[in-house]
Amino acid sequence: MKEKNTKGKDLLKILQENYEIETAQDLSGAIKDLFKDALQQMMNAEFDSSMGYSKYDKKIEKTNYRNGSTKKNLKSEFGEFEFETPRDRNGEFEPKIVPKNKRDVSGIEDKIISLYGRGLTTREINEQIQDLYGIEVSATMVSNITDQIIPEIKEWQERPLDEVYPFVFIDAVHFNVREDNRIVKKAAYIVLGINCEGFKEVLGIWIGENESAKYWLGVLNELQQRGVKDILIMCSDNLTGIKEAIDAAFPKTIQQRCIVHMIRNSVKFVNYKDLKEFTSDLKLIYTSSTEEQGYEKLQEVKNKWSDKYASAFKTWESNWDAICPFFQFSDKIRKIMYTTNTIESLNRQFRKYTKTKSVFPTDMSLLKCLYLSTKNISKKWDQAYRNWGPILSELSIMFDNRI
């Protein structure tokens, strides 16, 4: 720390000796000059190293010669300045400190990508960058800069996955996307896994097609190609075609319908004055100790309300085989699998990051935003599920030789 303070005083002394500093603007200008000079010296040193001799070395035998320099304007955190890139006759020098086609060393591209991932509009990004650097940012510039992460997205979407996931959640979030001069609804299909260490992980995001067994089978087959051999429990809403797709791709996987969605689908038929009593009766079904008891309660509740709300129980009976699996587990596992709240919480955060964008210009722009949002959100996933040790122990017993 003392050495650092000494260096700081030395720098201050240099500034005071060489510049008339009376205001904060004077200080900023002095630092800009120092930054420019330091960067130029680093470039010249890199060029000397590449050439194998210094500018003033006359005695060495040369196979390549200096050939002047190219001037360009560089943008930096300290403003814009003129910079020279040395040239050689053979055209072999490829500078690393400031690459040939690079005209911005301020980190502005990273900042634009970060702001884009946090849901800011192009206008808001432009205002932020102008305030910080005095640089105007157009919609085309934002698009071109954020396009730099497309290879990163492709690599992320194709990365190898674990062989086994105890829990996987599937859901879809809908957004407005411009297509063929029309605004259409596009779905972002999200697959979220909980790995064997108890940590959450977004396995993939897909934009586009309408839900169908064929579509979901393609998603699940892609997970297999990336290394997933087994999923113990898959939780979802009653998505179109999902049951058939899971049966085909992962026939041993337990399918669990989201109880919260079942309740929502039921109460939409119920008058407000009956809502409290009706939901209290539904609770008797999914809090039962066993599947048999739960089914008995379903029949009792149905008989009580069928004269007024017969339609409210159709989805419970038609989906009972996918509702009942959680009854065989302890409360610790039930809390994870009986609802898709895990992935719905993720979807709410996606909505938060994208709420300023009413319409996305392309599918890729939507995917870029969701990917960057995922990176921000997953930074907080640094702890395993509570009581994961006992949960994993129970799963290893229930799914013998599979985990």
Side-chain angles (χ1 to χ4, degrees):
M1 181 63 73
K2 186 175 181 180
E3 181 183 354
K4 185 177 180 181
N5 290 338
T6 302
K7 289 180 178 179
K9 291 177 181 178
D10 290 342
L11 177 58
L12 182 59
K13 185 177 180 181
I14 293 171
L15 290 171
Q16 289 172 336
E17 289 175 351
N18 292 276
Y19 299 91
E20 294 181 2
I21 298 175
E22 296 180 356
T23 66
Q25 287 76 13
D26 293 339
L27 178 61
S28 178
I31 294 175
K32 175 182 175 180
D33 286 344
L34 285 177
F35 177 77
K36 171 188 173 181
D37 292 342
L39 198 64
Q40 189 68 66
Q41 288 180 28
M42 292 169 69
M43 171 65 85
N44 293 339
E46 184 182 0
F47 184 64
D48 288 347
S49 176
S50 173
M51 295 295 288
Y53 63 92
S54 69
K55 183 176 181 179
Y56 303 103
D57 194 339
K58 306 295 184 182
K59 298 179 180 180
I60 191 170
E61 185 177 344
K62 303 170 184 176
T63 58
N64 193 7
Y65 293 84
R66 296 166 187 269
N67 191 30
S69 62
T70 301
K71 294 181 179 180
K72 62 181 177 181
N73 289 329
L74 278 186
K75 295 174 182 177
S76 77
E77 295 180 13
F78 307 107
E80 190 170 310
F81 57 85
E82 191 177 80
F83 186 76
E84 296 184 2
T85 301
R87 296 195 307 253
D88 64 298
R89 286 188 186 175
N90 295 347
E92 297 173 350
F93 179 52
E94 294 292 338
K96 292 183 174 58
I97 184 69
V98 182
K100 284 183 178 178
N101 296 319
K102 193 173 184 66
R103 295 183 179 272
D104 194 324
V105 292
S106 63
I108 191 172
E109 294 177 351
D110 292 338
K111 289 179 175 63
I112 288 175
I113 290 171
S114 176
L115 293 171
Y116 186 86
R118 294 184 180 279
L120 272 69
T121 63
T122 301
R123 180 177 59 80
E124 291 169 331
I125 292 173
N126 181 42
E127 290 173 355
Q128 292 266 3
I129 297 302
Q130 274 196 326
D131 287 344
L132 289 171
Y133 306 110
I135 299 170
E136 188 164 341
V137 178
S138 66
T140 301
M141 182 178 178
V142 171
S143 178
N144 290 339
I145 288 174
T146 55
D147 278 350
Q148 295 177 19
I149 67 168
I150 292 176
E152 181 182 329
I153 294 174
K154 188 173 186 295
E155 183 180 349
W156 175 78
Q157 194 79 336
E158 296 175 353
R159 74 192 189 282
L161 299 173
D162 294 347
E163 291 189 1
V164 179
Y165 284 90
F167 300 95
V168 166
F169 301 86
I170 295 179
D171 204 1
V173 194
H174 293 85
F175 299 92
N176 292 321
V177 179
R178 195 174 299 279
E179 184 176 82
D180 298 329
N181 297 318
R182 296 182 301 117
I183 296 175
V184 298
K185 282 284 185 184
K186 287 288 185 80
Y189 299 101
I190 319 294
V191 179
L192 174 67
I194 301 177
N195 61 30
C196 290
E197 285 73 44
F199 290 91
K200 290 186 288 187
E201 174 188 356
V202 176
L203 307 186
I205 301 173
W206 293 262
I207 309 293
E209 296 181 32
N210 295 325
E211 292 178 59
S212 65
K214 180 180 179 181
Y215 176 80
W216 281 117
L217 184 58
V219 170
L220 298 178
N221 284 341
E222 185 174 321
L223 295 181
Q224 287 181 324
Q225 291 165 10
R226 291 165 58 194
V228 181
K229 294 181 179 179
D230 196 6
I231 296 170
L232 304 186
I233 301 166
M234 188 172 289
C235 311
S236 70
D237 188 11
N238 191 20
L239 302 170
T240 304
I242 190 63
K243 182 180 186 301
E244 296 80 2
I246 296 172
D247 286 340
F250 297 98
K252 296 191 294 182
T253 296
I254 289 179
Q255 299 186 43
Q256 177 66 52
R257 290 290 175 271
C258 173
I259 302 299
V260 173
H261 279 91
M262 298 300 299
I263 296 170
R264 289 176 187 167
N265 290 334
S266 295
V267 299
K268 67 184 180 183
F269 298 101
V270 179
N271 289 329
Y272 181 77
K273 64 177 183 178
D274 295 327
L275 194 58
K276 185 175 181 180
E277 183 181 358
F278 185 87
T279 54
S280 179
D281 288 344
L282 285 183
K283 190 174 181 179
L284 298 174
I285 302 171
Y286 61 85
T287 57
S288 297
S289 300
T290 64
E291 178 187 347
E292 291 75 16
Q293 186 183 63
Y295 192 74
E296 288 175 7
K297 291 297 180 183
L298 171 60
Q299 299 307 312
E300 290 176 11
V301 176
K302 177 186 173 184
N303 292 335
K304 177 179 176 179
W305 295 98
S306 59
D307 290 343
K308 296 179 71 174
Y309 308 120
S311 298
F313 299 96
K314 289 181 180 179
T315 55
W316 286 84
E317 292 190 312
S318 61
N319 286 281
W320 185 254
D321 62 331
I323 294 172
C324 66
F326 79 99
F327 284 116
Q328 61 187 292
F329 297 97
S330 68
D331 288 342
K332 295 188 293 293
I333 294 180
R334 287 190 187 192
K335 288 179 181 178
I336 297 176
M337 65 181 288
Y338 94 108
T339 174
T340 54
N341 278 353
T342 300
I343 196 168
E344 287 194 353
S345 174
L346 173 64
N347 292 343
R348 282 194 297 273
Q349 292 181 78
F350 281 147
R351 290 291 189 194
K352 176 183 174 183
Y353 279 108
T354 59
K355 65 182 179 181
T356 60
K357 294 182 171 69
S358 57
V359 179
F360 287 87
T362 63
D363 288 1
M364 179 52 70
S365 67
L366 172 57
L367 183 58
K368 286 190 293 188
C369 195
L370 293 177
Y371 169 72
L372 292 169
S373 301
T374 299
K375 289 183 69 174
N376 290 328
I377 294 166
S378 59
K379 288 176 183 176
K380 301 176 182 178
W381 295 347
D382 56 356
Q383 291 185 342
Y385 262 79
R386 188 177 180 183
N387 297 318
W388 183 252
I391 290 171
L392 191 64
S393 179
E394 180 177 340
L395 290 173
S396 66
I397 295 171
M398 297 293 290
F399 298 92
D400 189 28
N401 296 323
R402 289 176 62 188
I403 188 171

